Amino acid sequence: MYDNADISPGADLFHAVLWGDLGFGRSSHPRTDTARDRNLSWLRGHGFFASAAADDWYRSWDLEGLVGGVYPYADDTGLDRCNKATTFMTVFDDQFEGQPGDTSTAAAVTVRSYLDVIDGRPVAGPVPPLKAMFAEIWQDWTAAAMSAEWHARARDNWVYCLTAMAHERASLRTGEPLAPDQYLELRRGTSYMPLFLDLIELAGGTECPRVIKHAPPVRIMRLITMDIVNFMNDVLSLHKEMARGDNDNIVLTTRHERRCSLAEAISLTCEEIAAKARRFSELRAGLPGLCAGLGLSGEETSAAVHYAYALERWIGGYEPWQRRSPRYQDAFAQRPPRERWAFEMGAKDS
């Protein structure tokens, strides 16, 4: 656990022992590189990068490497869907990072323009690359051969996560970290984790049986997955967010609530990550018995077990990617100055 008060939030955290070995397996998709090439071709085809430097900066993040680590079971179509959605969600989030609270009205205007795409309203004027990409992603998700329940949930999650961008800006008006309950509700949206978990079924081509999907242990496992990934991200992006004045971070919430030092808040967060991981493992171990008790068929049980495996892969695959990605390690140094990035134009578009 993190217990060194002399280590300040920053690059040193990436090499510190934080939450220890959580016991979750890691693997990487064997076709990650070819999927990366397809995704970059798609982005360049949309005129996504304003310059070669913008292209280099985006590629340094290795988002496709993240996708390969957290969806190792996907087929090629699933990988492409995950890469496109991950690129969009990450870059759309960047439109709002660092903006002050008094931009929340403008943020809401931008969000509404993307909700118009979901609602099928025509988009007026020239369509910037980021919005064109989202429209393509949305059309693909809408046409996917998934159940009506999955489609309804995915639609609701897109609205939840997109609107969270504006709510995050509005939360800055208080000038204080969020209360724990408000943090959890907002953070699950700003991280897009509900959508990343929807992609488990879309990418894998198998839906978790609804009677299991809504079983209390599995619902808790979903929340644990979201929270562990978000807490990890909050710890390792703390230096970036503090420099920008953002407050949607579990470490800052913990420091405020406990009235403790920053180092103590980091340590408490790391302990919470480890505790949540232990609880996840306990719940997963009981899943076969739960399926048997509900009379699920062998095929349904296999789908439920795969879903738990996929949740675990999200946790196990996320940590090594974030620790190595310059998106977090060199959050400020990696971005060349005075560049007008093509993907920033989306925030200026209404």
Side-chain angles (χ1 to χ4, degrees):
M1 295 301 173
Y2 175 83
D3 60 2
N4 188 344
D6 295 327
I7 298 179
S8 61
D12 288 343
L13 276 177
F14 288 83
H15 307 290
V17 176
L18 296 171
W19 35 78
D21 182 2
L22 301 181
F24 295 150
R26 299 173 181 176
S27 55
S28 182
H29 202 293
R31 296 190 297 281
T32 297
D33 290 339
T34 55
R36 177 185 292 108
D37 291 341
R38 291 195 301 271
N39 196 52
L40 289 171
S41 178
W42 179 69
L43 293 172
R44 291 163 184 156
H46 275 284
F48 190 59
F49 302 113
S51 66
D55 193 315
D56 290 342
W57 188 51
Y58 168 82
R59 285 189 292 110
S60 77
W61 296 351
D62 190 27
L63 291 179
E64 295 82 9
L66 168 65
V67 167
V70 300
Y71 301 107
Y73 46 83
D75 61 15
D76 286 347
T77 298
L79 275 176
D80 290 345
R81 283 171 163 161
C82 291
N83 276 324
K84 290 176 179 179
T86 299
T87 297
F88 170 79
M89 290 185 282
T90 304
V91 173
F92 189 73
D93 175 69
D94 277 7
Q95 311 308 302
F96 306 94
E97 287 189 346
Q99 295 183 16
D102 59 10
T103 63
S104 57
T105 300
V109 170
T110 298
V111 166
R112 287 192 185 102
S113 75
Y114 282 78
L115 297 182
D116 285 345
V117 174
I118 293 177
D119 293 336
R121 297 190 180 97
V123 179
V127 180
L130 192 59
K131 188 174 291 180
M133 289 163 49
F134 175 65
E136 186 176 324
I137 292 168
W138 176 247
Q139 184 178 25
D140 179 57
W141 281 43
T142 302
M146 305 295 285
S147 69
E149 183 175 344
W150 183 93
H151 280 288
R153 183 177 69 249
R155 186 184 194 280
D156 187 58
N157 284 337
W158 271 112
V159 174
Y160 168 40
C161 294
L162 290 173
T163 56
M165 299 295 98
H167 294 303
E168 184 179 40
R169 293 305 98 195
S171 73
L172 291 177
R173 292 177 179 273
T174 65
E176 294 184 345
L178 300 173
D181 55 354
Q182 187 175 349
Y183 160 83
L184 287 171
E185 183 64 23
L186 181 62
R187 188 69 177 93
R188 290 166 183 161
T190 59
S191 66
Y192 295 87
M193 281 305 298
L195 290 167
F196 281 124
L197 300 191
D198 288 337
L199 276 166
I200 287 175
E201 294 167 300
L202 182 60
T206 302
E207 293 189 44
C208 182
R210 60 172 60 177
V211 69
I212 286 293
K213 187 72 167 287
H214 296 287
V218 176
R219 292 178 69 94
I220 293 169
M221 288 166 67
R222 280 175 54 84
L223 292 177
I224 287 175
T225 301
M226 295 184 201
D227 291 345
I228 287 180
V229 171
N230 288 340
F231 289 7
M232 287 177 172
N233 179 271
D234 284 1
V235 170
L236 293 177
S237 61
L238 181 61
H239 64 299
K240 179 175 70 170
E241 294 180 351
M242 291 180 69
R244 286 196 313 246
D246 287 349
N247 60 8
D248 183 15
N249 189 294
I250 186 60
V251 176
L252 300 180
T253 285
T254 300
R255 181 178 67 169
H256 184 73
E257 289 294 311
R258 299 289 189 93
R259 297 292 189 266
C260 62
S261 69
L262 191 64
E264 289 171 325
I266 294 172
S267 183
L268 288 169
T269 300
C270 294
E271 291 172 8
E272 183 67 12
I273 289 171
K276 285 179 177 291
R278 290 192 296 271
R279 181 57 176 153
F280 182 101
S281 296
E282 292 171 359
L283 293 170
R284 184 184 178 186
L287 190 56
L290 176 62
C291 292
L294 293 170
L296 267 64
S297 67
E299 183 179 354
E300 290 174 320
T301 298
S302 294
V305 170
H306 170 76
Y307 189 74
Y309 159 84
L311 292 175
E312 178 187 316
R313 281 303 180 270
W314 238 105
I315 300 172
Y318 181 81
E319 179 189 2
W321 170 78
Q322 187 182 0
R323 282 185 182 265
R324 70 173 184 264
S325 176
R327 175 174 169 80
Y328 301 100
Q329 278 197 347
D330 301 309
F332 304 109
Q334 284 293 308
R335 180 170 178 160
R338 296 181 297 281
E339 280 282 358
R340 186 184 183 205
W341 305 99
F343 48 73
E344 287 185 341
M345 294 163 62
K348 302 174 179 66
D349 169 70
S350 61

